[in-house]
Amino acid sequence: MKRPINQSIHRLLVAFSSVLLIGSFVGCHSSEGKEERKEKEEEKKADAPATVEVFPLQRGKLSSSLQVPGELVAFRDVDIYAKVSGYIKSLNVDVGTEVKQGQLLALAEAPELSAQLSSASSRLNAQEALSIASKANYERILEASKFSGAVSKNDVDQALAKRNADLAQLEAAKSGYREVADLKKYLEIRAPFNGIISARNASTGAYIGPSGKGSEFPLFVLTEQKKLRLVISIPEAYTGYVDLNDQVTFNVKAFPDQKFTGQVKRQAGALDKRLRSERVEVDVINNNKKLLPGMIAEVNVPLPTKNNTFIVPKSAIVNATTGVFVVKVVNGKAEWVPVKRGLEADEKVELFGPLKEGDQLITKANEEIRDGSSVNVK
């Protein structure tokens, strides 16, 4: 009785396995069909022209600005040294003293110069007396020569030569006296221009001179503070946008809530070989003396475009590994056009390339819109 039961169970198992096998076979064919249909649908979508939004290319002006650091320096800043050797007799100014042009800063003394001046004065007086005497002698001989036989022609010539020689010696004596007198004037150390004494390195009684220990440091440093230079470096790409007399604004850490202005007055006209930038100097009027030489400033330089150029939205430009381009639509076809970017401001970009006004450009371009592919325009 056991064998018939076992055979029945065996037949049931075989039948059940066959059903499972057929089901799995049908399922595989069903899934494969779905994948094939999906791929065909994707291919159809890929082959279908993309729908894009375009805009006409137009010219315009773009105004941007450049943020660069700058340094405030004195408009004029000089080290004042002694011209002649001597000793400081009196000091009339100190650090922080405001001075006017020609004002006496210090007075030095040099006894040897006084002696030299006295000697030069004596030689001058003696030579003046000789010159007067030789001139009078020549005039008497010349008057006597008018009478026949009284004086020979040779005597007249010798008297004239003596007068001229003494006159030349007188001029030499005058020159020697002026030389010593001018040297003595250098004992009076005066301000070459209006400014403020920013450093003092001498005291009363100190030795000063054009060489040696007395000239190791300047006696004074005179700084012009009411007018400053703001020195900035403009990168090569922006040098064409900066002109003389342009207004710039800046602020400094000492007054973070206050804006200062200046005017571009000097441009180097060449690029720094190391930084590849142009040195630009801005004149800053500083009558209230709030700004100090040496301050670092954050400068805002306006960069307006000088001519009408092509202006496009940033989304129209594609930055790809192959280059920078925009996509132009011509007769329903996409065309990649290589371009160069200019200034950027407010999501707008200045554009340069082989384009003309009125060209239809895709507003939101990307690399998926292939060169030469068909497109539908909204």
Side-chain angles (χ1 to χ4, degrees), residues 204-254:
T204 304
Y207 169 77
I208 59 174
S211 62
K213 189 173 177 60
S215 62
E216 187 175 0
F217 299 103
L219 300 179
F220 305 99
V221 177
L222 179 61
T223 302
E224 185 173 354
Q225 195 180 12
K226 291 187 177 181
K227 188 177 181 180
L228 302 176
R229 300 174 191 257
L230 176 61
V231 181
I232 57 178
S233 295
I234 302 297
E236 179 182 357
Y238 301 102
T239 54
Y241 299 97
V242 180
D243 284 328
L244 291 176
N245 299 320
D246 283 353
Q247 290 283 130
V248 304
T249 60
F250 65 94
N251 55 40
V252 294
K253 291 182 179 179

Side-chain angles (χ1 to χ4, degrees), residues 187-354:
L187 294 174
E188 298 177 354
I189 300 165
R190 298 183 178 273
F193 54 82
N194 297 347
I196 188 170
I197 301 298
S198 56
R200 176 184 66 83
N201 297 305
S203 299
T204 304
Y207 169 77
I208 59 174
S211 62
K213 189 173 177 60
S215 62
E216 187 175 0
F217 299 103
L219 300 179
F220 305 99
V221 177
L222 179 61
T223 302
E224 185 173 354
Q225 195 180 12
K226 291 187 177 181
K227 188 177 181 180
L228 302 176
R229 300 174 191 257
L230 176 61
V231 181
I232 57 178
S233 295
I234 302 297
E236 179 182 357
Y238 301 102
T239 54
Y241 299 97
V242 180
D243 284 328
L244 291 176
N245 299 320
D246 283 353
Q247 290 283 130
V248 304
T249 60
F250 65 94
N251 55 40
V252 294
K253 291 182 179 179
F255 307 100
D257 58 342
Q258 188 171 350
K259 290 287 185 182
F260 300 91
T261 61
Q263 198 171 42
V264 175
K265 286 298 183 182
R266 285 164 293 280
Q267 293 176 281
L271 297 183
D272 182 276
K273 293 180 180 179
R274 183 173 57 88
L275 300 176
R276 293 298 168 188
S277 59
E278 182 183 23
R279 178 188 174 101
V280 173
E281 291 188 358
V282 178
D283 282 358
V284 179
I285 303 302
N286 187 39
N287 289 326
N288 56 14
K289 295 179 289 185
K290 293 176 72 173
L291 299 173
L292 302 177
M295 282 184 169
I296 301 299
E298 287 294 328
V299 189
N300 182 283
V301 183
L303 301 174
T305 55
K306 296 177 174 57
N307 302 309
N308 285 340
T309 55
F310 292 129
I311 307 297
V312 300
K314 288 184 179 180
S315 60
I317 300 177
V318 181
N319 290 295
T321 54
T322 55
V324 181
F325 62 88
V326 294
V327 182
K328 181 171 67 171
V329 177
V330 182
N331 298 325
K333 298 286 186 180
E335 180 183 333
W336 289 8
V337 182
V339 294
K340 290 184 178 180
R341 304 165 71 110
L343 292 179
E344 298 184 15
D346 301 325
E347 297 300 317
K348 299 286 186 180
V349 183
E350 189 182 20
L351 200 65
F352 302 95

Side-chain angles (χ1 to χ4, degrees), residues 58-197:
Q58 294 180 342
R59 293 182 179 273
K61 288 189 176 182
L62 193 66
S63 182
S64 181
S65 62
L66 176 67
Q67 302 289 332
V68 293
E71 181 184 7
L72 287 165
V73 298
F75 192 79
R76 285 186 289 183
D77 186 88
V78 297
D79 296 337
I80 299 177
Y81 289 87
K83 174 70 174 177
V84 296
S85 300
Y87 294 91
I88 295 292
K89 184 177 181 180
S90 63
L91 287 174
N92 300 330
V93 295
D94 210 329
V95 174
T97 303
E98 286 193 37
V99 299
K100 300 291 184 181
Q101 183 176 356
Q103 181 176 333
L104 183 64
L105 306 181
L107 180 64
E109 58 182 354
E112 62 274 20
L113 275 181
S114 298
Q116 291 176 20
L117 187 63
S118 297
S119 177
S121 178
S122 298
R123 285 195 298 271
L124 176 61
N125 292 335
Q127 198 59 48
E128 282 179 343
L130 286 175
S131 180
I132 291 172
S134 61
K135 181 182 178 182
N137 183 56
Y138 166 70
E139 289 175 350
R140 284 193 298 270
I141 292 176
L142 180 63
E143 189 67 26
S145 67
K146 294 178 181 179
F147 299 97
S148 179
V151 177
S152 67
K153 184 71 169 55
N154 183 55
D155 291 340
V156 176
D157 292 341
Q158 287 183 354
L160 177 60
K162 181 71 167 64
R163 189 205 70 172
N164 291 339
D166 288 343
L167 186 61
Q169 290 294 326
L170 175 62
E171 292 300 321
K174 287 180 179 179
S175 179
Y177 178 83
R178 285 195 298 268
E179 179 183 1
V180 179
D182 288 342
L183 283 175
K184 192 171 182 181
K185 285 181 182 178
Y186 285 121
L187 294 174
E188 298 177 354
I189 300 165
R190 298 183 178 273
F193 54 82
N194 297 347
I196 188 170
I197 301 298

